[in-house]
PDB file of all heavy atoms in Angstrom:
ATOM      1  N   ALA A   1     -21.530  -2.903   8.113  1.00 98.00           N
ATOM      2  CA  ALA A   1     -20.321  -3.511   8.014  1.00 98.00           C
ATOM      3  C   ALA A   1     -19.821  -3.642   6.542  1.00 98.00           C
ATOM      4  O   ALA A   1     -18.650  -3.410   6.227  1.00 98.00           O
ATOM      5  CB  ALA A   1     -20.306  -4.996   8.630  1.00 98.00           C
ATOM      6  N   GLN A   2     -20.751  -3.950   5.716  1.00 98.00           N
ATOM      7  CA  GLN A   2     -20.440  -4.015   4.270  1.00 98.00           C
ATOM      8  C   GLN A   2     -20.022  -2.541   3.712  1.00 98.00           C
ATOM      9  O   GLN A   2     -19.179  -2.478   2.902  1.00 98.00           O
ATOM     10  CB  GLN A   2     -21.604  -4.581   3.428  1.00 98.00           C
ATOM     11  CG  GLN A   2     -21.989  -5.974   3.800  1.00 98.00           C
ATOM     12  CD  GLN A   2     -20.792  -6.938   3.488  1.00 98.00           C
ATOM     13  OE1 GLN A   2     -20.058  -6.799   2.591  1.00 98.00           O
ATOM     14  NE2 GLN A   2     -20.610  -7.885   4.407  1.00 98.00           N
ATOM     15  N   ALA A   3     -20.796  -1.560   4.276  1.00 98.00           N
ATOM     16  CA  ALA A   3     -20.416  -0.126   3.791  1.00 98.00           C
ATOM     17  C   ALA A   3     -19.054   0.112   4.382  1.00 98.00           C
ATOM     18  O   ALA A   3     -18.253   0.749   3.614  1.00 98.00           O
ATOM     19  CB  ALA A   3     -21.359   0.762   4.341  1.00 98.00           C
ATOM     20  N   ARG A   4     -18.585  -0.326   5.526  1.00 98.00           N
ATOM     21  CA  ARG A   4     -17.239  -0.007   6.035  1.00 98.00           C
ATOM     22  C   ARG A   4     -16.228  -0.739   5.134  1.00 98.00           C
ATOM     23  O   ARG A   4     -15.173  -0.099   4.859  1.00 98.00           O
ATOM     24  CB  ARG A   4     -17.087  -0.516   7.453  1.00 98.00           C
ATOM     25  CG  ARG A   4     -17.784   0.333   8.502  1.00 98.00           C
ATOM     26  CD  ARG A   4     -17.680  -0.223   9.864  1.00 98.00           C
ATOM     27  NE  ARG A   4     -18.597   0.499  10.786  1.00 98.00           N
ATOM     28  CZ  ARG A   4     -18.129   1.225  11.754  1.00 98.00           C
ATOM     29  NH1 ARG A   4     -16.763   1.355  12.003  1.00 98.00           N
ATOM     30  NH2 ARG A   4     -18.975   1.859  12.553  1.00 98.00           N
ATOM     31  N   ILE A   5     -16.505  -1.922   4.721  1.00 98.00           N
ATOM     32  CA  ILE A   5     -15.528  -2.682   3.947  1.00 98.00           C
ATOM     33  C   ILE A   5     -15.410  -1.971   2.549  1.00 98.00           C
ATOM     34  O   ILE A   5     -14.282  -1.743   2.024  1.00 98.00           O
ATOM     35  CB  ILE A   5     -16.074  -4.141   3.700  1.00 98.00           C
ATOM     36  CG1 ILE A   5     -15.876  -4.947   4.995  1.00 98.00           C
ATOM     37  CG2 ILE A   5     -15.320  -4.795   2.533  1.00 98.00           C
ATOM     38  CD1 ILE A   5     -16.606  -6.278   5.046  1.00 98.00           C
ATOM     39  N   ARG A   6     -16.537  -1.538   1.929  1.00 98.00           N
ATOM     40  CA  ARG A   6     -16.362  -0.744   0.693  1.00 98.00           C
ATOM     41  C   ARG A   6     -15.609   0.463   0.887  1.00 98.00           C
ATOM     42  O   ARG A   6     -14.686   0.821   0.071  1.00 98.00           O
ATOM     43  CB  ARG A   6     -17.811  -0.321   0.194  1.00 98.00           C
ATOM     44  CG  ARG A   6     -18.540  -1.418  -0.483  1.00 98.00           C
ATOM     45  CD  ARG A   6     -19.778  -0.901  -1.155  1.00 98.00           C
ATOM     46  NE  ARG A   6     -20.695  -0.076  -0.381  1.00 98.00           N
ATOM     47  CZ  ARG A   6     -21.620  -0.625   0.426  1.00 98.00           C
ATOM     48  NH1 ARG A   6     -21.821  -1.868   0.475  1.00 98.00           N
ATOM     49  NH2 ARG A   6     -22.407   0.187   1.165  1.00 98.00           N
ATOM     50  N   GLU A   7     -15.731   1.233   2.017  1.00 98.00           N
ATOM     51  CA  GLU A   7     -14.972   2.443   2.296  1.00 98.00           C
ATOM     52  C   GLU A   7     -13.479   2.113   2.449  1.00 98.00           C
ATOM     53  O   GLU A   7     -12.648   2.770   1.940  1.00 98.00           O
ATOM     54  CB  GLU A   7     -15.443   3.121   3.497  1.00 98.00           C
ATOM     55  CG  GLU A   7     -16.813   3.926   3.262  1.00 98.00           C
ATOM     56  CD  GLU A   7     -16.637   4.888   2.232  1.00 98.00           C
ATOM     57  OE1 GLU A   7     -15.679   5.682   2.094  1.00 98.00           O
ATOM     58  OE2 GLU A   7     -17.580   4.863   1.287  1.00 98.00           O
ATOM     59  N   ALA A   8     -13.179   1.020   3.078  1.00 98.00           N
ATOM     60  CA  ALA A   8     -11.862   0.625   3.417  1.00 98.00           C
ATOM     61  C   ALA A   8     -11.098   0.261   2.023  1.00 98.00           C
ATOM     62  O   ALA A   8     -10.003   0.569   1.833  1.00 98.00           O
ATOM     63  CB  ALA A   8     -11.756  -0.552   4.341  1.00 98.00           C
ATOM     64  N   LYS A   9     -11.900  -0.412   1.178  1.00 98.00           N
ATOM     65  CA  LYS A   9     -11.374  -0.898  -0.114  1.00 98.00           C
ATOM     66  C   LYS A   9     -11.079   0.418  -0.957  1.00 98.00           C
ATOM     67  O   LYS A   9     -10.095   0.515  -1.706  1.00 98.00           O
ATOM     68  CB  LYS A   9     -12.246  -1.704  -0.965  1.00 98.00           C
ATOM     69  CG  LYS A   9     -12.282  -3.174  -0.437  1.00 98.00           C
ATOM     70  CD  LYS A   9     -13.340  -4.028  -1.097  1.00 98.00           C
ATOM     71  CE  LYS A   9     -13.207  -5.497  -0.546  1.00 98.00           C
ATOM     72  NZ  LYS A   9     -14.167  -6.315  -1.263  1.00 98.00           N
ATOM     73  N   LYS A  10     -11.903   1.412  -0.897  1.00 98.00           N
ATOM     74  CA  LYS A  10     -11.682   2.631  -1.588  1.00 98.00           C
ATOM     75  C   LYS A  10     -10.513   3.345  -1.131  1.00 98.00           C
ATOM     76  O   LYS A  10      -9.626   3.780  -1.901  1.00 98.00           O
ATOM     77  CB  LYS A  10     -12.893   3.623  -1.532  1.00 98.00           C
ATOM     78  CG  LYS A  10     -14.087   3.380  -2.367  1.00 98.00           C
ATOM     79  CD  LYS A  10     -15.033   4.532  -2.384  1.00 98.00           C
ATOM     80  CE  LYS A  10     -16.508   4.069  -1.975  1.00 98.00           C
ATOM     81  NZ  LYS A  10     -17.362   5.228  -1.773  1.00 98.00           N
ATOM     82  N   LYS A  11     -10.258   3.471   0.272  1.00 98.00           N
ATOM     83  CA  LYS A  11      -9.134   4.123   0.811  1.00 98.00           C
ATOM     84  C   LYS A  11      -7.863   3.358   0.408  1.00 98.00           C
ATOM     85  O   LYS A  11      -6.879   3.915   0.088  1.00 98.00           O
ATOM     86  CB  LYS A  11      -9.211   4.129   2.358  1.00 98.00           C
ATOM     87  CG  LYS A  11      -8.176   4.791   2.992  1.00 98.00           C
ATOM     88  CD  LYS A  11      -8.316   4.960   4.445  1.00 98.00           C
ATOM     89  CE  LYS A  11      -7.224   5.792   5.101  1.00 98.00           C
ATOM     90  NZ  LYS A  11      -7.480   5.978   6.509  1.00 98.00           N
ATOM     91  N   LEU A  12      -7.892   1.992   0.490  1.00 98.00           N
ATOM     92  CA  LEU A  12      -6.754   1.162   0.041  1.00 98.00           C
ATOM     93  C   LEU A  12      -6.311   1.460  -1.450  1.00 98.00           C
ATOM     94  O   LEU A  12      -5.183   1.503  -1.812  1.00 98.00           O
ATOM     95  CB  LEU A  12      -7.040  -0.306   0.249  1.00 98.00           C
ATOM     96  CG  LEU A  12      -5.967  -1.320  -0.116  1.00 98.00           C
ATOM     97  CD1 LEU A  12      -4.602  -0.963   0.566  1.00 98.00           C
ATOM     98  CD2 LEU A  12      -6.379  -2.668   0.024  1.00 98.00           C
ATOM     99  N   ALA A  13      -7.440   1.442  -2.263  1.00 98.00           N
ATOM    100  CA  ALA A  13      -7.102   1.666  -3.667  1.00 98.00           C
ATOM    101  C   ALA A  13      -6.460   3.087  -3.960  1.00 98.00           C
ATOM    102  O   ALA A  13      -5.536   3.193  -4.712  1.00 98.00           O
ATOM    103  CB  ALA A  13      -8.394   1.634  -4.483  1.00 98.00           C
ATOM    104  N   ALA A  14      -6.881   4.098  -3.152  1.00 98.00           N
ATOM    105  CA  ALA A  14      -6.375   5.434  -3.228  1.00 98.00           C
ATOM    106  C   ALA A  14      -4.978   5.500  -2.747  1.00 98.00           C
ATOM    107  O   ALA A  14      -4.055   6.009  -3.419  1.00 98.00           O
ATOM    108  CB  ALA A  14      -7.209   6.476  -2.412  1.00 98.00           C
ATOM    109  N   LEU A  15      -4.658   4.710  -1.741  1.00 97.00           N
ATOM    110  CA  LEU A  15      -3.315   4.678  -1.217  1.00 97.00           C
ATOM    111  C   LEU A  15      -2.412   3.909  -2.083  1.00 97.00           C
ATOM    112  O   LEU A  15      -1.150   4.352  -2.295  1.00 97.00           O
ATOM    113  CB  LEU A  15      -3.359   3.975   0.240  1.00 97.00           C
ATOM    114  CG  LEU A  15      -3.869   4.847   1.336  1.00 97.00           C
ATOM    115  CD1 LEU A  15      -4.075   4.003   2.573  1.00 97.00           C
ATOM    116  CD2 LEU A  15      -3.078   6.044   1.564  1.00 97.00           C
ATOM    117  N   LEU A  16      -2.879   2.841  -2.762  1.00 95.00           N
ATOM    118  CA  LEU A  16      -2.022   2.144  -3.682  1.00 95.00           C
ATOM    119  C   LEU A  16      -1.767   3.008  -4.843  1.00 95.00           C
ATOM    120  O   LEU A  16      -0.633   3.027  -5.470  1.00 95.00           O
ATOM    121  CB  LEU A  16      -2.749   0.868  -4.133  1.00 95.00           C
ATOM    122  CG  LEU A  16      -2.830  -0.231  -3.120  1.00 95.00           C
ATOM    123  CD1 LEU A  16      -3.819  -1.405  -3.514  1.00 95.00           C
ATOM    124  CD2 LEU A  16      -1.580  -0.738  -2.829  1.00 95.00           C
ATOM    125  N   LEU A  17      -2.796   3.735  -5.399  1.00 96.00           N
ATOM    126  CA  LEU A  17      -2.537   4.756  -6.503  1.00 96.00           C
ATOM    127  C   LEU A  17      -1.438   5.724  -6.116  1.00 96.00           C
ATOM    128  O   LEU A  17      -0.616   6.125  -6.914  1.00 96.00           O
ATOM    129  CB  LEU A  17      -3.844   5.289  -6.993  1.00 96.00           C
ATOM    130  CG  LEU A  17      -4.599   4.361  -7.850  1.00 96.00           C
ATOM    131  CD1 LEU A  17      -5.998   5.093  -8.146  1.00 96.00           C
ATOM    132  CD2 LEU A  17      -3.904   4.130  -9.102  1.00 96.00           C
ATOM    133  N   GLU A  18      -1.572   6.221  -4.919  1.00 96.00           N
ATOM    134  CA  GLU A  18      -0.671   7.172  -4.419  1.00 96.00           C
ATOM    135  C   GLU A  18       0.781   6.681  -4.422  1.00 96.00           C
ATOM    136  O   GLU A  18       1.697   7.379  -5.004  1.00 96.00           O
ATOM    137  CB  GLU A  18      -1.046   7.733  -2.979  1.00 96.00           C
ATOM    138  CG  GLU A  18      -0.121   8.755  -2.448  1.00 96.00           C
ATOM    139  CD  GLU A  18      -0.545   9.064  -1.014  1.00 96.00           C
ATOM    140  OE1 GLU A  18      -1.671   9.046  -0.626  1.00 96.00           O
ATOM    141  OE2 GLU A  18       0.444   9.554  -0.252  1.00 96.00           O
ATOM    142  N   GLY A  19       0.897   5.380  -3.987  1.00 92.00           N
ATOM    143  CA  GLY A  19       2.188   4.840  -3.985  1.00 92.00           C
ATOM    144  C   GLY A  19       2.718   4.566  -5.379  1.00 92.00           C
ATOM    145  O   GLY A  19       3.932   4.844  -5.696  1.00 92.00           O
ATOM    146  N   ILE A  20       1.839   4.098  -6.281  1.00 91.00           N
ATOM    147  CA  ILE A  20       2.298   3.891  -7.654  1.00 91.00           C
ATOM    148  C   ILE A  20       2.715   5.215  -8.237  1.00 91.00           C
ATOM    149  O   ILE A  20       3.748   5.168  -9.025  1.00 91.00           O
ATOM    150  CB  ILE A  20       1.119   3.235  -8.518  1.00 91.00           C
ATOM    151  CG1 ILE A  20       0.888   1.774  -8.028  1.00 91.00           C
ATOM    152  CG2 ILE A  20       1.333   3.359  -9.964  1.00 91.00           C
ATOM    153  CD1 ILE A  20      -0.383   1.137  -8.511  1.00 91.00           C
ATOM    154  N   ASN A  21       2.138   6.297  -8.037  1.00 95.00           N
ATOM    155  CA  ASN A  21       2.312   7.558  -8.718  1.00 95.00           C
ATOM    156  C   ASN A  21       3.349   8.376  -7.917  1.00 95.00           C
ATOM    157  O   ASN A  21       3.757   9.367  -8.318  1.00 95.00           O
ATOM    158  CB  ASN A  21       1.058   8.382  -8.675  1.00 95.00           C
ATOM    159  CG  ASN A  21       0.028   7.764  -9.721  1.00 95.00           C
ATOM    160  OD1 ASN A  21       0.400   7.292 -10.613  1.00 95.00           O
ATOM    161  ND2 ASN A  21      -1.224   7.986  -9.324  1.00 95.00           N
ATOM    162  N   SER A  22       4.031   7.810  -6.853  1.00 95.00           N
ATOM    163  CA  SER A  22       4.940   8.461  -6.060  1.00 95.00           C
ATOM    164  C   SER A  22       6.454   8.495  -6.673  1.00 95.00           C
ATOM    165  O   SER A  22       7.229   9.122  -6.188  1.00 95.00           O
ATOM    166  CB  SER A  22       4.948   7.927  -4.654  1.00 95.00           C
ATOM    167  OG  SER A  22       5.479   6.657  -4.617  1.00 95.00           O
ATOM    168  N   GLY A  23       6.615   7.633  -7.662  1.00 92.00           N
ATOM    169  CA  GLY A  23       7.928   7.595  -8.281  1.00 92.00           C
ATOM    170  C   GLY A  23       8.352   6.113  -8.389  1.00 92.00           C
ATOM    171  O   GLY A  23       7.573   5.154  -8.174  1.00 92.00           O
ATOM    172  N   PRO A  24       9.567   5.878  -8.767  1.00 92.00           N
ATOM    173  CA  PRO A  24      10.085   4.525  -9.048  1.00 92.00           C
ATOM    174  C   PRO A  24      10.164   3.773  -7.779  1.00 92.00           C
ATOM    175  O   PRO A  24      10.449   4.383  -6.710  1.00 92.00           O
ATOM    176  CB  PRO A  24      11.481   4.739  -9.735  1.00 92.00           C
ATOM    177  CG  PRO A  24      11.778   6.103  -9.333  1.00 92.00           C
ATOM    178  CD  PRO A  24      10.519   6.908  -9.151  1.00 92.00           C
ATOM    179  N   GLY A  25       9.872   2.490  -7.736  1.00 88.00           N
ATOM    180  CA  GLY A  25       9.996   1.635  -6.666  1.00 88.00           C
ATOM    181  C   GLY A  25      11.385   1.285  -6.228  1.00 88.00           C
ATOM    182  O   GLY A  25      12.350   1.468  -6.968  1.00 88.00           O
ATOM    183  N   ILE A  26      11.495   0.611  -5.147  1.00 88.00           N
ATOM    184  CA  ILE A  26      12.819   0.138  -4.619  1.00 88.00           C
ATOM    185  C   ILE A  26      12.562  -1.361  -4.426  1.00 88.00           C
ATOM    186  O   ILE A  26      11.452  -1.774  -3.905  1.00 88.00           O
ATOM    187  CB  ILE A  26      13.303   0.912  -3.427  1.00 88.00           C
ATOM    188  CG1 ILE A  26      12.345   0.695  -2.261  1.00 88.00           C
ATOM    189  CG2 ILE A  26      13.689   2.375  -3.751  1.00 88.00           C
ATOM    190  CD1 ILE A  26      12.793   1.183  -1.043  1.00 88.00           C
ATOM    191  N   PRO A  27      13.623  -2.143  -4.575  1.00 91.00           N
ATOM    192  CA  PRO A  27      13.451  -3.558  -4.107  1.00 91.00           C
ATOM    193  C   PRO A  27      13.492  -3.648  -2.566  1.00 91.00           C
ATOM    194  O   PRO A  27      14.220  -3.085  -1.890  1.00 91.00           O
ATOM    195  CB  PRO A  27      14.729  -4.181  -4.667  1.00 91.00           C
ATOM    196  CG  PRO A  27      15.639  -3.075  -4.960  1.00 91.00           C
ATOM    197  CD  PRO A  27      14.923  -1.816  -5.089  1.00 91.00           C
ATOM    198  N   VAL A  28      12.370  -4.377  -2.180  1.00 94.00           N
ATOM    199  CA  VAL A  28      12.233  -4.716  -0.777  1.00 94.00           C
ATOM    200  C   VAL A  28      12.449  -6.291  -0.573  1.00 94.00           C
ATOM    201  O   VAL A  28      11.609  -7.022  -0.907  1.00 94.00           O
ATOM    202  CB  VAL A  28      10.884  -4.229  -0.252  1.00 94.00           C
ATOM    203  CG1 VAL A  28      10.735  -4.534   1.242  1.00 94.00           C
ATOM    204  CG2 VAL A  28      10.711  -2.732  -0.423  1.00 94.00           C
ATOM    205  N   ASN A  29      13.499  -6.570   0.039  1.00 97.00           N
ATOM    206  CA  ASN A  29      13.898  -7.943   0.265  1.00 97.00           C
ATOM    207  C   ASN A  29      14.535  -8.057   1.674  1.00 97.00           C
ATOM    208  O   ASN A  29      14.566  -7.129   2.444  1.00 97.00           O
ATOM    209  CB  ASN A  29      14.902  -8.412  -0.816  1.00 97.00           C
ATOM    210  CG  ASN A  29      16.042  -7.450  -1.016  1.00 97.00           C
ATOM    211  OD1 ASN A  29      16.432  -6.880  -0.132  1.00 97.00           O
ATOM    212  ND2 ASN A  29      16.551  -7.431  -2.216  1.00 97.00           N
ATOM    213  N   ASP A  30      15.056  -9.224   1.961  1.00 97.00           N
ATOM    214  CA  ASP A  30      15.657  -9.376   3.372  1.00 97.00           C
ATOM    215  C   ASP A  30      16.739  -8.445   3.594  1.00 97.00           C
ATOM    216  O   ASP A  30      16.859  -7.964   4.832  1.00 97.00           O
ATOM    217  CB  ASP A  30      16.137 -10.840   3.475  1.00 97.00           C
ATOM    218  CG  ASP A  30      14.996 -11.862   3.629  1.00 97.00           C
ATOM    219  OD1 ASP A  30      13.928 -11.422   3.902  1.00 97.00           O
ATOM    220  OD2 ASP A  30      15.302 -13.057   3.324  1.00 97.00           O
ATOM    221  N   GLU A  31      17.656  -8.191   2.536  1.00 96.00           N
ATOM    222  CA  GLU A  31      18.738  -7.149   2.801  1.00 96.00           C
ATOM    223  C   GLU A  31      18.088  -5.915   3.143  1.00 96.00           C
ATOM    224  O   GLU A  31      18.755  -5.173   3.921  1.00 96.00           O
ATOM    225  CB  GLU A  31      19.499  -7.128   1.486  1.00 96.00           C
ATOM    226  CG  GLU A  31      20.716  -6.315   1.533  1.00 96.00           C
ATOM    227  CD  GLU A  31      21.564  -6.194   0.229  1.00 96.00           C
ATOM    228  OE1 GLU A  31      21.487  -7.247  -0.539  1.00 96.00           O
ATOM    229  OE2 GLU A  31      22.073  -5.285  -0.071  1.00 96.00           O
ATOM    230  N   TYR A  32      17.231  -5.469   2.432  1.00 96.00           N
ATOM    231  CA  TYR A  32      16.439  -4.094   2.725  1.00 96.00           C
ATOM    232  C   TYR A  32      16.061  -4.050   4.221  1.00 96.00           C
ATOM    233  O   TYR A  32      16.320  -3.101   4.873  1.00 96.00           O
ATOM    234  CB  TYR A  32      15.317  -3.817   1.777  1.00 96.00           C
ATOM    235  CG  TYR A  32      14.473  -2.706   2.127  1.00 96.00           C
ATOM    236  CD1 TYR A  32      14.851  -1.462   1.711  1.00 96.00           C
ATOM    237  CD2 TYR A  32      13.380  -2.859   2.932  1.00 96.00           C
ATOM    238  CE1 TYR A  32      13.990  -0.288   2.124  1.00 96.00           C
ATOM    239  CE2 TYR A  32      12.506  -1.784   3.367  1.00 96.00           C
ATOM    240  CZ  TYR A  32      12.949  -0.511   2.927  1.00 96.00           C
ATOM    241  OH  TYR A  32      12.164   0.516   3.295  1.00 96.00           O
ATOM    242  N   TRP A  33      15.335  -5.134   4.550  1.00 97.00           N
ATOM    243  CA  TRP A  33      14.783  -5.100   5.903  1.00 97.00           C
ATOM    244  C   TRP A  33      15.957  -5.101   7.020  1.00 97.00           C
ATOM    245  O   TRP A  33      15.837  -4.477   8.109  1.00 97.00           O
ATOM    246  CB  TRP A  33      13.718  -6.289   6.165  1.00 97.00           C
ATOM    247  CG  TRP A  33      12.488  -5.876   5.441  1.00 97.00           C
ATOM    248  CD1 TRP A  33      11.986  -6.654   4.424  1.00 97.00           C
ATOM    249  CD2 TRP A  33      11.532  -4.931   5.690  1.00 97.00           C
ATOM    250  NE1 TRP A  33      10.811  -6.176   3.930  1.00 97.00           N
ATOM    251  CE2 TRP A  33      10.524  -5.033   4.769  1.00 97.00           C
ATOM    252  CE3 TRP A  33      11.527  -3.762   6.576  1.00 97.00           C
ATOM    253  CZ2 TRP A  33       9.396  -4.146   4.670  1.00 97.00           C
ATOM    254  CZ3 TRP A  33      10.443  -2.886   6.466  1.00 97.00           C
ATOM    255  CH2 TRP A  33       9.530  -3.075   5.519  1.00 97.00           C
ATOM    256  N   ASP A  34      16.971  -5.889   6.796  1.00 97.00           N
ATOM    257  CA  ASP A  34      18.082  -5.959   7.671  1.00 97.00           C
ATOM    258  C   ASP A  34      18.685  -4.573   7.809  1.00 97.00           C
ATOM    259  O   ASP A  34      19.015  -4.116   8.864  1.00 97.00           O
ATOM    260  CB  ASP A  34      19.107  -6.986   7.128  1.00 97.00           C
ATOM    261  CG  ASP A  34      18.676  -8.466   7.337  1.00 97.00           C
ATOM    262  OD1 ASP A  34      17.655  -8.682   8.017  1.00 97.00           O
ATOM    263  OD2 ASP A  34      19.298  -9.275   6.626  1.00 97.00           O
ATOM    264  N   LYS A  35      18.968  -3.930   6.722  1.00 96.00           N
ATOM    265  CA  LYS A  35      19.513  -2.479   6.750  1.00 96.00           C
ATOM    266  C   LYS A  35      18.642  -1.506   7.491  1.00 96.00           C
ATOM    267  O   LYS A  35      19.021  -0.800   8.273  1.00 96.00           O
ATOM    268  CB  LYS A  35      19.819  -1.989   5.289  1.00 96.00           C
ATOM    269  CG  LYS A  35      20.422  -0.748   5.194  1.00 96.00           C
ATOM    270  CD  LYS A  35      20.701  -0.230   3.822  1.00 96.00           C
ATOM    271  CE  LYS A  35      21.193   1.093   3.758  1.00 96.00           C
ATOM    272  NZ  LYS A  35      21.348   1.576   2.413  1.00 96.00           N
TER     273      LYS A  35
END
């Protein structure tokens, strides 16, 4: 179970880096979700 948690954290870190490196962000607020 601890090994699975470590792997999930690695995957999450990789996905976060991918998102950070994907370009400029956009504001996500109530208006965004309504649209």
Side-chain angles (χ1 to χ4, degrees):
Q2 295 302 318
R4 286 176 190 247
I5 290 168
R6 282 192 307 274
E7 288 300 313
K9 286 180 178 180
K10 280 193 232 177
K11 184 175 182 179
L12 178 58
L15 290 171
L16 288 170
L17 281 174
E18 181 182 331
I20 288 168
N21 294 326
S22 68
I26 60 169
V28 177
N29 50 31
D30 289 340
E31 182 181 332
Y32 169 87
W33 288 117
D34 291 342
K35 182 179 176 186

